[in-house]
Structures are given as C-alpha cells and as structure tokens.
Amino acid sequence: MAFEKICTLDDVWEGDMDAFETSCGTAVLVLGVDGGDLKAFQAICPHQEIELVEGEFDGKVLTCKAHLWQFDTSNGQGLNPTDCQIAAYPIKIEGEDVFVDVEGIEPFTAHS
Ligand code: FES
C-alpha cells in the first residue's frame, strides 16, 4: 500500500468533485458524496477518454458529459449502462489531508 496525499478536505465539499493527479501521473476524481464521505475513482470515463470532472454530480450519481453514462458513487458501479464501472481507489483522511492509494488498480475501459 502506498498512500499519498492528493488534496485537503477544503478542496472537495459535499456534493462537489474535483480531479487531481498523483505523483506517478494517475488522474483521480475525488467526490464529496451525500453524508459527507469522500470517494476516489478513476478520473477518465471508461467509455471514451472524457474527463469525468466535466460531467455532473448530484451527491450520489456521477454523469459523464459526453454520452451521459452514469455511475453510482457509493461503489463505482455503472447505472446506465449497468455493464460498466469506474475503478475505486482506497482513500483515507488524516487531519485535513486526503490520501489515496492507486497502486495496482487499473482504470476500467469499455469498448465504445
Ligand atoms: S465518454 Fe463518458 S459516456 Fe461516453
């Protein structure tokens, strides 16, 4: 496990999202889901190479702006279509700092 600091609690509020990059260049989307937890997922849509941060997030469901694929941000599972998902990264918080571990986790891709 190799957690590294990716942002602070102040960077992502509940109902908000932002994209960050790890030291090895992995793009990570951090979301403040309803209830106040933070979640971290791959930042690029598994459909085509669109940045998910440019989409919509309502606190529960993430919608890609390009073709409106939707993902459940409690677990990354595809809602529409259901046969896709986004990779979740372990996340932990220490004080005000947010850490993720992307080691060994590959982003999902789907044929278009
Ligand atoms: S690129 Fe995201 S839905 Fe098509």
Side-chain angles (χ1 to χ4, degrees):
M1 299 291 263
F3 277 96
E4 74 171 86
K5 181 181 170 183
I6 190 120
C7 65
T8 69
L9 290 178
D10 234 15
D11 292 324
V12 184
W13 294 82
E14 187 174 340
D16 195 12
M17 63 176 167
D18 209 345
F20 304 93
E21 199 168 285
T22 65
S23 58
C24 64
T26 301
V28 176
L29 185 67
V30 178
L31 304 102
V33 300
D34 281 359
D37 283 347
L38 289 181
K39 298 279 188 177
F41 294 100
Q42 71 183 68
I44 304 298
C45 185
H47 182 210
Q48 294 175 353
E49 299 204 347
I50 298 292
E51 293 190 30
L52 289 166
V53 72
E54 295 175 6
E56 297 284 330
F57 175 52
D58 68 1
K60 289 183 180 145
V61 175
L62 171 65
T63 305
C64 179
K65 74 166 190 179
H67 313 99
L68 307 182
W69 282 22
Q70 292 185 306
F71 305 92
D72 180 344
T73 57
S74 69
N75 56 16
Q77 187 59 48
L79 296 171
N80 180 24
T82 53
D83 61 347
C84 67
Q85 69 185 108
I86 47 176
Y89 300 118
I91 190 165
K92 70 175 182 180
I93 294 160
E94 288 180 6
E96 292 293 308
D97 296 330
V98 179
F99 295 78
V100 295
D101 181 5
V102 299
E103 202 173 290
I105 300 174
E106 292 297 322
F108 288 97
T109 56
H111 56 85
S112 48

